[in-house]
Amino acid sequence: MRVMDEVAKAKPLNDMQRYAALNSMKGFTSLAEITKEAGIKSVIEYMLEDTSALEQYLSAMAAAITLQRKQISHNALILSIFHSEMASLNMYGEEFKSILLDIVERERKIQHRTFIAENSTQINIHSDIWKLYEQHGSILRLKTIDFTKIRSKPLRYEMKYYLQYIFLSRGKISTSLFCCQYMALNTLIETNPSIKYFADITEADARTLVLALEHKAKDDGTPLSQYYIAKAVNSVKRIIEYLMGPLRSGDIKTPRPCLNPFAIITFHNLRQYNTPTTIIPEKVVEQLGRYSNELPPLHRLLYNIFANTGLRLKEVFFLEEDCIEPSRYPGIFQLKFKPHKVLAARRRHSAGDYHRIMIPQNLADELSAHISATRSIRNSVGSSYIFLSERLGYATTVMDSQPFIRSIRHIIKKHNICGDDGELWHFTSRQFRKSIAVRLIENGATTAELAYWLGHLCSDTAAKYYAEVRKMKLAELNTKFFLTKFDLIISNEQLEKYTEEERKLLYADFRLEQRRVELGFCMAKAAGSCQHRSNLYNCVNCRNLCTGKRYLSYWTGLLEQQRIIFERLISAYQADGILHYQEYAEYKQELRLLKGYESIVKAIQEGGVPHE
């Protein structure tokens, strides 16, 4: 029965009900049964007759939730007492509500002190579920390690000892890495059911695992990335290193591996396997800016912060109330933030926890207005973070980023904002950071200036941004550029050997027609004239030749002539009773020439690159 119905039917408890309620409160048990009979309102009125006993009861029930390592909330506490659906906290009366919220906040502070400290009690070899808490801003996040996901019990047993070692040495366990590990172990068992212990894994099993993972897909159907596969394989390799090495627990009662079968498998240049963050095209930026006024006020503020600063998502959502600082320049303010990704490195270098960048006054004013408007929320929970989320029945926490991202994607879909490929632009918050870097580079920022703006402790990453922007500029002088300018088909393979400066010189040579040959233009890098230029067929078969529509009639004529030559050659072979002429050098040469003509004609007609 709902709370609103109970309010209307509230009646005092009779003697028997009072006696039952008293016993339940003294025994710190649920009031669900008496609530079903008398209603929540009547039970609450009885409880308020002795507020001291009520506080003691609520404290004990809250402690019971903590004992189960579940996070406290007023919703969870009410459900544990009444087992009833909660419509609104205001329906329970101001006095009861005040006592309840005070107990919940008191218990939440206890949980913050104890849950992380008690993580070690969860590292139990005999337990299949480990519930571990980590601090995330002003809230706790539960990370569950579920060993039942590993189908083999012996592998599960050895895995527990390895993760126990990781926890004791590092103080935490990565749940994302555990997901890679159990997927790899289950795949090993699928490919070789005879594997019982890690010591049973052979080099053949290791190679088979890599191949099997390359054919696996995520839940959404997309194949596993090479980076993910490398992460899974290397994690299993480290488990075996532990089981082989001196740090192995003496309590493990399984065979010790004699060698590591994954030692033969290495992955190179893993940075290349990560999907690079896409730079937002200028036309997408313009349209997003044009329609950003349709975003909700809070999301519009977040958009302006990302677009003007290039901060990482966590750096924005964990901004604090004193984040705005004056600067020595008129109309310019400083934005103070914690670069969480490099925080440990900053502390090692004594660089301080906070970093500062310049922002325009209009953005500083927007932020200041938001900080003032949300002061009461921060005061109520004792938090300094300016982007907080209040949800009925839940603790006030740092705002979730997904509603903001969904708002941007809604604008993109609504106004059909597309990239250069004509597809709807797929937005992520990381794209702002790369786009800011490109804008700084194009405006002449040095690698040192770029590194400072992005909060890097060295210029290595900034140098990579420079290389990427240079590559973008180089890509502008691409095959499409030459096709548009000269109506010539040039393959990517032909252009790859030219630097940006060389492509500019190539453009000038084409303009001056210094590279003209009989059937188009020559792409050879070597200086001087080609010694075979007078031989038409060497030009035709040369990879340095680029041609276009103006030469189509000539190429069509050559193709027709070659077809006649080829057909006559086959007729001659057949007339002489020769059956296996396909192996003759003469046949292969004429066939190669025919295929070459066909490829070039088709490419010119389709406006693409000749087919191999």
Side-chain angles (χ1 to χ4, degrees):
M1 188 176 291
R2 294 182 176 275
V3 176
M4 293 183 69
D5 296 334
E6 297 298 333
V7 171
K9 300 177 182 179
K11 295 179 181 179
L13 300 185
N14 58 38
D15 291 343
M16 187 175 295
Q17 291 170 338
R18 291 173 67 87
Y19 178 75
L22 178 62
N23 284 339
S24 293
M25 291 181 67
K26 284 184 176 180
F28 307 125
T29 58
S30 170
L31 293 167
E33 290 301 320
I34 188 66
T35 303
K36 287 179 183 177
E37 295 180 12
I40 292 177
K41 182 68 174 178
S42 299
V43 174
I44 288 177
E45 287 180 353
Y46 167 76
M47 296 166 78
L48 287 171
E49 292 177 7
D50 187 346
T51 55
S52 177
L54 173 59
E55 289 182 15
Q56 188 178 7
Y57 173 68
L58 292 178
S59 297
M61 297 299 285
I65 295 174
T66 300
L67 196 62
Q68 300 173 54
R69 283 181 70 80
K70 294 180 180 178
Q71 291 198 66
I72 190 71
S73 68
H74 58 260
N75 191 27
L77 183 54
I78 286 175
L79 287 174
S80 72
I81 297 169
F82 302 120
H83 291 198
S84 177
E85 180 183 353
M86 180 179 130
S88 170
L89 189 60
N90 293 326
M91 302 301 298
Y92 294 92
E94 286 301 319
E95 187 177 6
F96 179 80
K97 173 184 171 182
S98 175
I99 296 172
L100 179 80
L101 291 179
D102 183 60
I103 297 296
V104 168
E105 191 57 36
R106 195 185 311 165
E107 195 66 28
R108 184 174 287 127
K109 291 176 181 178
I110 293 172
Q111 290 186 350
H112 273 256
R113 290 197 307 269
T114 60
F115 274 8
I116 295 178
E118 292 173 353
N119 277 342
S120 57
T121 63
Q122 294 292 301
I123 310 301
N124 184 348
I125 300 300
H126 303 293
S127 173
D128 282 338
I129 305 291
W130 294 356
K131 294 182 178 180
L132 308 175
Y133 281 92
E134 291 180 4
Q135 192 76 31
H136 182 75
S138 59
I139 65 170
L140 293 173
R141 278 191 174 174
L142 174 63
K143 306 288 185 179
T144 302
I145 307 294
D146 184 358
F147 289 98
T148 61
K149 292 181 177 180
I150 303 173
R151 296 175 195 147
S152 166
K153 288 186 178 180
L155 292 181
R156 189 187 304 172
Y157 170 79
E158 292 178 298
M159 185 71 174
K160 288 179 184 179
Y161 276 102
Y162 171 72
L163 290 185
Q164 182 187 61
Y165 156 73
I166 292 296
F167 178 83
L168 293 176
S169 59
R170 301 180 187 174
K172 62 181 181 179
I173 296 171
S174 169
T175 49
S176 62
L177 186 59
F178 175 71
C179 292
C180 291
Q181 290 164 334
Y182 80 70
M183 174 184 280
L185 295 180
N186 288 339
T187 305
L188 276 168
I189 298 167
E190 290 169 7
T191 56
N192 185 0
S194 65
I195 294 174
K196 187 175 182 182
Y197 305 106
F198 279 93
D200 297 332
I201 302 172
T202 65
E203 290 184 354
D205 294 323
R207 290 192 180 95
T208 304
L209 173 63
V210 176
L211 294 174
L213 290 176
E214 287 176 348
H215 289 86
K216 274 191 174 292
K218 299 177 184 176
D219 294 337
D220 60 2
T222 58
L224 300 179
S225 69
Q226 193 68 15
Y227 184 82
Y228 188 94
I229 293 170
K231 186 178 176 182
V233 171
N234 287 335
S235 66
V236 177
K237 182 192 295 187
R238 286 192 290 272
I239 297 170
I240 297 178
E241 286 173 355
Y242 163 75
L243 294 172
M244 292 172 57
L247 297 174
R248 171 188 171 115
S249 171
D251 296 331
I252 303 177
K253 308 302 180 185
T254 59
R256 181 186 290 266
C258 298
L259 54 84
N260 195 332
F262 291 93
I264 61 171
I265 299 174
T266 56
F267 296 87
H268 302 286
N269 302 321
L270 282 180
R271 286 181 180 272
Q272 297 178 6
Y273 296 138
N274 276 318
T275 303
T277 302
T278 311
I279 296 167
I280 307 178
E282 195 64 36
K283 67 176 185 178
V284 174
V285 173
E286 290 176 0
Q287 292 182 80
L288 285 176
R290 185 185 311 152
Y291 299 115
S292 62
N293 61 334
E294 297 181 15
L295 294 168
L298 179 57
H299 293 168
R300 186 164 62 246
L301 171 60
L302 290 170
Y303 173 84
N304 290 336
I305 296 172
F306 281 115
N308 281 278
T309 65
L311 265 60
R312 300 180 181 92
L313 188 143
K314 190 173 182 179
E315 293 165 351
V316 172
F317 281 83
F318 282 82
L319 285 172
E320 298 176 70
E321 57 190 355
D322 60 348
C323 63
I324 305 296
E325 295 181 344
S327 76
R328 68 180 71 178
Y329 308 105
I332 300 294
F333 287 80
Q334 291 189 120
L335 181 66
K336 184 182 78 169
F337 64 94
K338 278 187 180 179
H340 294 273
K341 186 175 181 180
V342 294
L343 201 54
R346 290 179 66 89
R347 289 170 179 171
R348 287 197 301 271
H349 290 79
S350 302
D353 285 2
Y354 291 93
H355 190 66
R356 292 164 175 82
I357 59 173
M358 302 295 183
I359 59 172
Q361 183 167 347
N362 61 333
L363 179 57
D365 291 343
E366 286 183 62
L367 264 171
S368 297
H370 174 76
I371 291 169
S372 298
T374 55
R375 183 172 290 111
S376 60
I377 302 175
R378 291 194 302 278
N379 291 342
S380 66
V381 295
S383 174
S384 62
Y385 300 123
I386 65 174
F387 293 113
L388 297 175
S389 174
E390 286 186 306
R391 294 172 59 197
L392 185 63
Y394 295 88
T396 300
T397 64
V398 174
M399 189 179 299
D400 184 7
S401 62
Q402 288 308 306
F404 164 69
I405 293 173
R406 284 196 294 267
S407 288
I408 300 290
R409 290 177 179 171
H410 173 72
I411 292 293
I412 291 172
K413 186 175 181 180
K414 177 182 177 181
H415 296 285
N416 196 35
I417 300 176
C418 298
D420 294 330
D421 58 0
E423 298 292 329
L424 282 177
W425 183 253
H426 181 71
F427 169 79
T428 66
S429 63
R430 290 180 298 173
Q431 293 165 355
F432 284 118
R433 186 170 180 80
K434 183 68 71 68
S435 299
I436 285 287
V438 172
R439 197 185 311 166
L440 289 168
I441 293 169
E442 290 181 338
N443 282 279
T446 64
T447 51
E449 290 169 335
L450 182 61
Y452 176 80
W453 185 277
L454 298 177
H456 299 146
L457 293 178
C458 66
S459 298
D460 289 353
T461 306
K464 289 174 186 172
Y465 280 135
Y466 260 90
E468 188 169 338
V469 173
R470 183 171 180 80
K471 187 176 180 181
M472 287 169 52
K473 292 300 178 184
L474 181 63
E476 290 177 2
L477 292 169
N478 56 15
T479 57
K480 185 178 179 181
F481 171 83
F482 282 94
L483 181 63
T484 303
K485 293 292 184 182
F486 303 102
D487 201 13
L488 293 172
I489 299 171
I490 301 177
S491 68
N492 288 325
E493 181 184 359
Q494 289 174 314
L495 274 180
E496 278 176 356
K497 55 190 177 183
Y498 285 89
T499 65
E500 183 178 356
E501 292 303 318
E502 288 171 337
R503 291 189 191 188
K504 291 176 181 176
L505 294 174
L506 184 67
Y507 170 76
D509 285 349
F510 278 19
R511 277 294 185 202
L512 297 171
E513 298 197 346
Q514 292 180 356
R515 290 175 171 266
R516 180 178 289 282
V517 291
E518 288 85 352
L519 302 174
F521 285 77
C522 180
M523 292 281 293
K525 289 191 70 174
S529 60
C530 176
Q531 59 180 338
H532 300 295
R533 184 173 174 181
S534 61
N535 187 329
L536 178 63
Y537 287 99
N538 278 306
C539 258
V540 170
N541 293 313
C542 182
R543 289 185 175 275
N544 291 319
L545 175 69
C546 58
T547 186
K549 284 186 178 179
R550 71 176 74 174
Y551 305 99
L552 179 59
S553 60
Y554 192 75
W555 283 109
T556 304
L558 287 175
L559 174 59
E560 293 303 321
Q561 292 177 26
Q562 185 60 25
R563 280 177 177 162
I564 294 171
I565 293 171
F566 188 67
E567 289 171 359
R568 287 176 179 174
L569 179 64
I570 293 177
S571 297
Y573 286 143
Q574 293 173 345
D576 293 338
I578 300 173
L579 300 177
H580 303 292
Y581 54 81
Q582 289 87 351
E583 299 301 321
Y584 286 12
E586 181 185 28
Y587 172 84
K588 290 181 178 178
Q589 180 180 348
E590 298 299 337
L591 178 62
R592 187 181 305 113
L593 199 56
L594 177 64
K595 294 295 183 184
Y597 289 151
E598 288 176 344
S599 174
I600 291 172
V601 169
K602 185 177 181 180
I604 294 174
Q605 290 174 338
E606 295 178 354
V609 178
H611 304 275
E612 294 295 335

